[in-house]
Amino acid sequence: MKKWIGIPAGLALLLCIVTACSGRTQGLETAQPAQPAGDQALPRIAELDAVRNTAEIQQVELGTQFYFATSGNVVNQNSSVLFTSTATESAWALYSVDKADMEFFNLFVDFGTAAGQKLMIGVANYSTGRWMFSTPFSSSSANVSVNTQSETNWISPQGKLYFVLVGQGNQTMIVNGIRLLADVPPPPSFPVSGTVLDENSNPMEGVSITLTPGGGSLMTDANGNFGFLAIPAGNWTLTPSFDGWEFNPVSTDIQVVDAELTGVDFTGSEIPIITHAVSGKVQDASLAPIEGVLLTLNPGGMTTSSDALGAFSFPAVEVGAYTLIPSKTDYLFAPSSRNVNVSTADLINQNFTGSLDLSYSVSGTVLDVFDAPLGGVTLTLTPGGQQAISDSLGEFSIADVSPGSYTLTPARSGWSFAPANRAVTVVASNVSGQDFSGTENPVVSFSVDLLPIIQGDMGSEYACIECHSGSFPEEGLDMTNYDDVVDRSSTIKNRINRTQGSSGFMPKNGTKWLPAYLQMFQDWIDGGYAP
C-alpha cells in the first residue's frame, strides 16, 4: 500500500536540499553545492551511521525540526525551519529515516524562498559513497525519486535513508514540510480466541465480546466460543456483555505480539433480580374501605385490585421508579396518582382516599322538521345556567351536572322548538335522549307584519299612530317610518311590554298588544329588522 510519510521541517533526518519546484520529479547527480568551510563541511557518507548514535527517530512521521546535524545557520521557527545562506556558504540540515520494512518512492519538500534563493536535495548513495544532488529548485514543492524497490544504493548498512536540504543564494528559505511516499506493509496480525461459560460451566451463547480500541465486536457461538481472526500486534482490551449478567473478569487486557493468543476466557453469572412489595389501602373520607379499585403501576402495566378491606399489594416489584394510579367507575381519588420509588425495602402506606363522582352529563340531539341536524342551538339548564351548543350533527352534552331537578331550554334566533323546554332529573347517572325539534320562524317584515298593527288595521285599540305620526309626532317618534322604528326599537319594545296604564305604556290611550303581536315585534328585531 502506498502511503505518504509526513516529515516535519524540523526532523533533521537526512541531507535534503529544499528548493521551490514545479512539482516534477527530478533525478540526482554528483554536482556539489557550495560548501561551508572548516568543520561545517557535510559529514562523509561512510560516517553517517556513526554520527547518528543518539535520539534515534523511530516514528513514521517526522517533524521538520528533528534534524541531527546542520551547518549552524539553520533556525527553528514554530513548526518550520529557517535556512539562511550567503553567497559563499550554504545552509543545510541533515535528516534520516529508518527504512524498517518500508519501501520508499519519492521525497517531497514544501518550502518558500526569497528571490535568488534555491533549494537542493541531496541523498546519500552507498554504492558510490557520494551525495547525489538534485538540480536547484526555486519554487515549491521539490520532488526527487528515492526508489528503494529498484535501487538498493540509498540505504545505509544500518538500514537508514539519509538526505540533506541545502539552501543557496545569499537569501533565506523556510522549509514547511517534508514528505516521503512509501509502501508501508500492514502490521502483522494474529487470531485471538476464548470461551464464555456460566457458573455451572455451561456455555453461554450470544455474549457480545467487544475489542477496544476500535470498538469491533462479535458474539459467542452455541459452545460459548469466540474468535477474532486477525488482531494486529499491540495492546487490546476484551470486554464481555450480556443483559442481566455480570462477568469475571469484567474485562481482560491482552498483548498481541507475534503469535496466536488463546484461552481468553470469561465466567458469567446472572445478576439477581431485586424486588420489593408495594402496598396500601383505599378508603373514603370516613375511613370506610372501598373495594374493587383497580391499581396500576407504570411503566410495566402491573395491576391489582383493593379487597373488601380496601387493601392492595404488589408483592414483587423490581427496583425502579413507577407511577401508581387508582381507578374505579364513578369515583374520584386523592391523590390522583403517586410516584413510587422502589429501592432497598418494601413500600407500605401507598394510600388513596376515594369519593363518589357526583357529576353527570345531560345530552341529546336537535333536529329540524325534516330531521336534519340543527347546529348552533344553545341549550341552557336552569337553575345553574350551564350551557352547551349543538354541533354540526345537532348533538349536545352539558357536563358536570350535579344531581337535582332542572329545566332544559333550547334557543336560536329565528327558530322555535318543540317542546319549548324539558324537565330533567339527574339522580346517579348521565341523562341522555333530551331531544328537540326546531322550526324556523317566518321572516317578520315591518311593512307587511308590524305596520298594520301600528296603524290599527288589526284593531284601533292597538294603534300607535294617534301619538306617533304626522308632521309633529310625539317625542319625535314617527312609528310609520321604518328608520325611526329601527332606531328606537329597544325603547318601543320596552314600552309595549309594560303594564297597561302604567307610566310610558304604549299605546298610551289603547290596549296592550296581544302576546302574538309582542312576539312578532321581538322576532322582527331578532330577524334583523326586515323592511
Side-chain angles (χ1 to χ4, degrees):
M1 161 177 85
K2 288 188 178 180
K3 177 180 178 181
W4 285 108
I5 302 175
I7 305 178
L11 278 177
L13 297 181
L14 190 39
L15 284 173
C16 184
I17 298 178
V18 181
T19 3
C21 154
S22 63
R24 295 175 295 173
T25 301
Q26 291 198 11
L28 298 172
E29 51 193 40
T30 59
Q32 301 293 305
Q35 295 287 321
D39 59 2
Q40 294 301 317
L42 290 175
R44 293 176 57 191
I45 298 289
E47 299 172 348
L48 291 177
D49 280 338
V51 173
R52 182 71 176 188
N53 55 11
T54 61
E56 185 78 349
I57 301 299
Q58 299 296 331
Q59 63 264 42
V60 173
E61 294 191 6
L62 303 175
T64 56
Q65 297 173 358
F66 286 90
Y67 39 76
F68 67 89
T70 74
S71 60
N73 46 1
V74 173
V75 180
N76 294 340
Q77 286 193 152
N78 297 322
S79 61
S80 61
V81 176
L82 176 67
F83 290 67
T84 303
S85 58
T86 67
T88 60
E89 183 178 328
S90 298
W92 56 265
L94 181 61
Y95 297 78
S96 74
V97 181
D98 286 313
K99 180 179 181 297
D101 54 358
M102 297 183 289
E103 296 292 348
F104 301 140
F105 296 99
N106 291 80
L107 177 64
F108 293 83
V109 180
D110 296 321
F111 68 99
T113 65
Q117 176 76 311
K118 297 184 183 301
L119 165 71
M120 293 182 70
I121 302 175
V123 182
N125 187 320
Y126 281 87
S127 293
T128 64
R130 304 187 63 183
W131 289 101
M132 304 297 292
F133 284 92
S134 69
T135 57
F137 294 93
S138 59
S139 62
S140 194
S141 69
N143 176 2
V144 297
S145 173
V146 286
N147 193 324
T148 59
Q149 279 189 324
S150 59
E151 303 173 13
T152 60
N153 51 298
W154 304 121
I155 304 302
S156 77
Q158 291 188 10
K160 301 180 186 299
L161 171 71
Y162 289 90
F163 65 93
V164 64
L165 306 183
V166 179
Q168 292 184 308
N170 198 27
Q171 292 291 346
T172 59
M173 173 181 70
I174 296 177
V175 175
N176 297 309
I178 306 171
R179 297 171 291 153
L180 269 174
L181 178 62
D183 186 356
V184 182
S189 59
F190 304 94
V192 174
S193 61
T195 304
V196 183
L197 305 177
D198 66 15
E199 293 175 305
N200 299 315
S201 298
N202 297 313
M204 291 186 63
E205 182 180 5
V207 177
S208 175
I209 308 295
T210 301
L211 178 72
T212 53
S217 65
L218 48 72
M219 297 288 188
T220 56
D221 62 19
N223 296 316
N225 297 323
F226 67 90
F228 293 91
L229 297 180
I231 303 301
N235 295 316
W236 306 87
T237 299
L238 294 179
T239 305
S241 62
F242 192 80
D243 284 347
W245 289 69
E246 57 189 2
F247 294 89
N248 184 27
V250 175
S251 62
T252 296
D253 294 329
I254 62 172
Q255 185 178 38
V256 179
V257 183
D258 56 4
E260 179 181 1
L261 190 60
T262 61
V264 187
D265 301 334
F266 299 91
T267 300
S269 57
E270 192 169 8
I271 300 172
I273 299 175
I274 300 174
T275 64
H276 297 287
V278 175
S279 61
K281 287 186 176 182
V282 185
Q283 300 171 315
D284 65 16
S286 64
L287 302 184
I290 303 177
E291 183 180 4
V293 177
L294 179 68
L295 287 302
T296 303
L297 267 180
N298 287 321
M302 295 177 62
T303 61
T304 189
S305 296
S306 59
D307 60 20
L309 299 177
F312 67 88
S313 177
F314 295 89
V317 181
E318 294 183 23
V319 171
Y322 300 86
T323 301
L324 179 60
I325 305 171
S327 61
K328 184 175 181 178
T329 303
D330 294 334
Y331 275 83
L332 299 174
F333 295 93
S336 58
S337 65
R338 282 186 176 277
N339 294 323
V340 177
N341 188 17
V342 180
S343 56
T344 60
D346 293 346
L347 293 179
I348 60 175
N349 296 325
Q350 303 302 301
N351 301 331
F352 296 92
T353 300
S355 59
L356 280 171
D357 181 8
L358 300 179
S359 64
Y360 305 95
S361 65
V362 174
S363 60
T365 304
V366 184
L367 305 176
D368 64 16
V369 292
F370 303 105
D371 292 332
L374 184 57
V377 177
T378 299
L379 289 300
T380 304
L381 273 179
T382 53
Q386 292 164 279
Q387 292 184 328
I389 297 175
S390 61
D391 59 21
S392 60
L393 299 178
E395 298 174 349
F396 68 90
S397 180
I398 302 175
D400 299 324
V401 181
S402 300
S405 297
Y406 301 88
T407 298
L408 179 62
T409 304
R412 178 176 167 178
S413 177
W415 290 75
S416 57
F417 296 90
N421 55 62
R422 284 185 176 276
V424 178
T425 301
V426 179
V427 181
S429 62
N430 297 330
V431 178
S432 60
Q434 303 303 295
D435 303 334
F436 294 90
S437 176
T439 302
E440 189 172 13
N441 298 328
V443 176
V444 177
S445 164
F446 175 78
S447 59
V448 174
D449 300 299
L450 294 184
L451 190 57
I453 301 173
I454 294 170
Q455 294 179 150
D457 295 346
M458 304 306 226
S460 59
E461 65 273 24
Y462 306 123
C464 298
I465 58 174
E466 181 179 340
C467 302
H468 297 285
S469 63
S471 300
F472 302 100
E474 191 172 312
E475 301 175 27
L477 170 61
D478 182 358
M479 289 190 63
T480 64
N481 183 281
Y482 169 78
D483 292 331
D484 277 7
V485 177
V486 170
D487 293 341
R488 310 274 289 274
S489 58
S490 294
T491 300
I492 297 170
K493 171 185 171 182
N494 173 273
R495 294 176 65 174
I496 62 177
N497 278 281
R498 292 184 184 182
T499 302
Q500 183 172 334
S502 63
S503 174
F505 168 75
M506 291 177 58
K508 181 170 61 175
N509 299 320
T511 301
K512 185 172 182 175
W513 286 13
L514 295 175
Y517 299 164
L518 296 174
Q519 183 61 49
M520 188 181 296
F521 193 83
Q522 180 64 55
D523 290 344
W524 176 70
I525 295 174
D526 294 341
Y529 306 102

